[in-house]
Amino acid sequence: MTAEPTSGATQPGDLVAASVNRVLGLAATWLAWDGQPYVAEDGERIYTPHKAIRRHADHLIDHLAHIESVLAGEQPAADRWHASLVTLASDWAMFTEADLNEAQQRLSRLGAMYRLRLNALDPAEWDLSRQPDWTVRQIAEHVASTWYADQIGDLTATRQSRHLGGQASDDAVEAQYMGQ
């Protein structure tokens, strides 16, 4: 663990479930995706809708297993994910209504698992020190990040293109040629 999430008063399971709702809200706009990858804000990775969903789901699964290990007093599994460094061939597929439905089903269930599991704990367990590891609340706050989905963002919003190579969107190019 390298970061120190900030603890808050929100029930940790609810925090994760809310972040899943945010990701799914963004994903609902990705049906408009034009097939071009987005460069992450760190400039080192690219994202497509499928990759953002895959990474968010993997992140939830990884840390749910992490939480279960910590609660059982066991050592969490070693991190051997290729994570965001890898863009799979399947990540390049168009994002369709069926993909959105699958993401809604998968992520909603994972969010519900966090909400049910963490909120069923005695609240004293949320902030119990498990050095050198994070607390359960800190793990939940970490996994509640919507960073992967934010790299694609809301595709209904007007914003400057972050496509690979800095290419402008088709609408912007068309407007330029039409003198607008």
Side-chain angles (χ1 to χ4, degrees), residues 71-90:
L71 291 173
E74 299 288 328
Q75 185 71 8
D79 185 352
R80 290 189 171 88
W81 293 101
H82 292 292
S84 294
L85 299 176
V86 172
T87 303
L88 303 175
S90 58

Side-chain angles (χ1 to χ4, degrees), residues 42-75:
D42 64 10
E44 296 181 12
R45 295 167 272 186
I46 60 170
Y47 281 87
T48 65
H50 282 288
K51 183 175 180 178
I53 292 294
R54 176 177 60 80
R55 286 302 310 134
H56 194 73
D58 289 351
H59 200 216
L60 290 170
I61 291 166
D62 182 42
H63 285 290
L64 186 58
H66 182 189
I67 287 169
E68 290 300 330
S69 295
V70 165
L71 291 173
E74 299 288 328
Q75 185 71 8

Side-chain angles (χ1 to χ4, degrees), residues 2 7 19 32 40 44 56 65 78 91 113 116 120 123 126 149 159 164:
T2 57
S7 293
S19 74
E44 296 181 12
H56 194 73
D91 293 335
M113 288 171 61
L116 293 169
W126 298 341
R159 60 187 175 88
L164 199 56

Side-chain angles (χ1 to χ4, degrees), residues 18-141:
S19 74
V20 164
N21 289 336
R22 164 128 172 91
V23 168
L24 292 174
L26 290 172
T29 74
W30 298 346
L31 299 174
W33 182 54
D34 64 6
Q36 295 297 309
Y38 285 86
V39 177
E41 64 189 26
D42 64 10
E44 296 181 12
R45 295 167 272 186
I46 60 170
Y47 281 87
T48 65
H50 282 288
K51 183 175 180 178
I53 292 294
R54 176 177 60 80
R55 286 302 310 134
H56 194 73
D58 289 351
H59 200 216
L60 290 170
I61 291 166
D62 182 42
H63 285 290
L64 186 58
H66 182 189
I67 287 169
E68 290 300 330
S69 295
V70 165
L71 291 173
E74 299 288 328
Q75 185 71 8
D79 185 352
R80 290 189 171 88
W81 293 101
H82 292 292
S84 294
L85 299 176
V86 172
T87 303
L88 303 175
S90 58
D91 293 335
W92 292 99
M94 292 308 299
F95 194 75
T96 67
E97 289 90 352
D99 296 313
L100 176 60
N101 181 66
E102 294 297 307
Q104 290 167 332
Q105 297 305 307
R106 183 176 297 110
L107 294 180
S108 293
R109 282 173 172 74
L110 284 167
M113 288 171 61
Y114 270 91
R115 184 180 50 76
L116 293 169
R117 178 65 173 115
L118 298 185
N119 293 355
L121 289 174
D122 181 322
E125 289 285 323
W126 298 341
D127 299 306
L128 184 65
S129 176
R130 291 178 170 85
Q131 292 294 329
D133 216 327
W134 286 347
T135 67
V136 169
R137 182 189 306 273
Q138 288 172 320
I139 296 168
E141 288 173 344

